[in-house]
């Protein structure tokens, strides 16, 4: 996956702030992230990865899901779980955003 400096800086800043704020939220009570929230829009978040605009987000590849992302803070089988990027919110397991990182 190719990434330019701008994408790296945006993702890094978002991740750091998300981690700091995310510790304050109770994951079980966190609301589901809406695709229309500003941060979700900026990162191209979709509840269903099959609906990602591949022209707008060419780094998307088939099989990339929130549930198999390193930032997903639940089990791969969880339908919703917290994400380090979206502090205080839960994301859909079959979803996707441009901050996706392959789980090690």
């Amino acid at each position: 996956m190719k990434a330019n400096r701008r994408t790296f800086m945006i993702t890094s800043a978002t991740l750091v702030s998300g981690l700091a704020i995310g510790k304050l939220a109770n994951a079980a009570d966190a609301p589901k992230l809406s695709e229309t929230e500003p941060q979700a829009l900026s990162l191209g978040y979709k509840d269903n990865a099959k609906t990602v605009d591949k022209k707008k987000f060419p780094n998307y590849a088939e099989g990339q899901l929130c549930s198999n992302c390193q930032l997903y803070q639940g089990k791969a089988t969880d339908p919703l779980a917290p994400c380090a990027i979206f502090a205080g919110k839960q994301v859909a397991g079959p979803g996707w955003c441009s901050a996706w990182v392959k789980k090690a």
Side-chain angles (χ1 to χ4, degrees), residues 32-54:
K32 183 178 180 234
L33 178 68
S34 168
E35 292 181 3
T36 59
E37 291 183 39
Q39 187 180 13
L41 288 170
S42 71
L43 293 173
Y45 173 76
K46 295 291 183 185
D47 288 330
N48 183 339
K50 293 177 182 177
T51 64
V52 172
D53 181 348
K54 294 173 183 93

Side-chain angles (χ1 to χ4, degrees), residues 11 15 66 69-74 82-85 97 99-101 103:
T11 302
L15 175 60
C66 290
C69 175
Q70 187 171 339
L71 304 169
Y72 193 69
Q73 299 175 339
C83 174
I85 294 294
C97 84
W100 184 89
V101 179
K103 193 172 271 190

Side-chain angles (χ1 to χ4, degrees), residues 1-5 7-8 11 57-60 64 98 100:
M1 178 170 107
K2 288 187 175 182
N4 61 33
R5 180 186 163 119
T7 302
F8 173 78
T11 302
F57 297 98
N59 59 331
Y60 168 75
Q64 294 179 348
S98 62
W100 184 89

